[in-house]
């Protein structure tokens, strides 16, 4: 019985580690079906090549200094498009789609155009904006999830499609300006009309 209890306790101790080592759900992250807490798991994975490979992400040479690119061990389908490549840039995770014209997909996803010219296209839409509390400090924050499409010069004939997850401080409300105070009378002023 003692060996059995030891085995059970050992297995229970492994459960939190196994849960934290769960693979990333890339399709859900890219399609904005997760939240900021889920996206927090992406940073440690993409920062460590061994963790990246364990999650099916083969690091690629950087063709763009603003994003880290990966080839997927298993292609995935996002927004109805199949892809073998993803990129991470700060708070954003994006699929790199073989889509020369992003406009039809932007229309399908009901995105608002931000930039639309021959050299650059950007469109997006905020899907989530909610008040939350910072788990560490209890400070009020705003969780934001934004779906976007864009083109980039380093990837001609491609469209980057994905999601940005962020926690921001609420905008400070402008306090009313304090009422002007009258100038203080001078205590040391000499009385008029004499010494």
């Amino acid at each position: 019985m003692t060996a059995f209890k030891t085995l059970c306790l050992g297995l229970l101790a492994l459960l939190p580690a196994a849960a934290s080592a769960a693979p990333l759900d890339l399709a859900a992250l890219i399609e904005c079906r997760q939240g900021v807490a889920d996206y927090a798991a992406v940073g440690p994975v993409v920062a460590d090549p061994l963790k990246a490979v364990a999650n099916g992400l083969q690091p690629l040479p950087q063709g763009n200094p603003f994003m880290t690119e990966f080839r997927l061990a298993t292609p995935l389908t996002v927004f109805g498009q199949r892809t073998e490549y993803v990129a991470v840039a700060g708070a954003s995770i994006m699929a790199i789609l073989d889509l020369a014209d992003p406009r039809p997909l932007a229309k399908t996803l009901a995105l608002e155009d931000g930039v639309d010219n021959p050299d650059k296209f950007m469109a997006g839409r905020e899907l989530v904006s909610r008040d939350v509390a910072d788990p560490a400090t209890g400070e009020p924050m705003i969780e934001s999830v934004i779906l976007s499409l864009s083109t980039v010069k380093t990837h001609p004939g491609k469209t980057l499609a994905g999601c940005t997850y962020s926690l921001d401080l609420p905008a400070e409300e402008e306090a009313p300006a304090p009422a002007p105070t009258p100038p203080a009378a001078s205590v040391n002023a000499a009385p008029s009309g004499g010494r």
Side-chain angles (χ1 to χ4, degrees), residues 22-69:
L24 300 174
D25 186 344
L26 293 173
L29 285 164
I30 291 167
E31 292 182 330
C32 298
R33 293 184 280 122
Q34 295 197 320
V36 170
D38 303 299
Y39 185 76
V42 172
V45 169
V46 299
D48 181 337
L50 293 176
K51 287 181 182 176
V53 170
N55 276 272
L57 300 167
Q58 175 191 349
L60 296 173
Q62 280 196 235
N64 182 316
F66 301 106
M67 61 187 193
T68 307
E69 296 178 56

Side-chain angles (χ1 to χ4, degrees), residues 92-144:
S92 300
I93 185 164
M94 302 155 287
I96 301 172
L97 306 176
D98 288 323
L99 197 61
D101 183 4
R103 290 162 189 84
L105 183 55
K107 185 175 181 180
T108 299
L109 297 173
L111 303 183
E112 300 169 14
D113 290 355
V115 175
D116 189 356
N117 61 52
D119 296 329
K120 182 73 178 167
F121 178 84
M122 291 176 64
R125 178 168 50 99
E126 187 172 48
L127 302 178
V128 174
S129 179
R130 64 177 159 237
D131 295 332
V132 295
D134 184 318
T137 64
E139 184 177 12
M141 303 288 281
I142 296 175
E143 179 178 11
S144 176

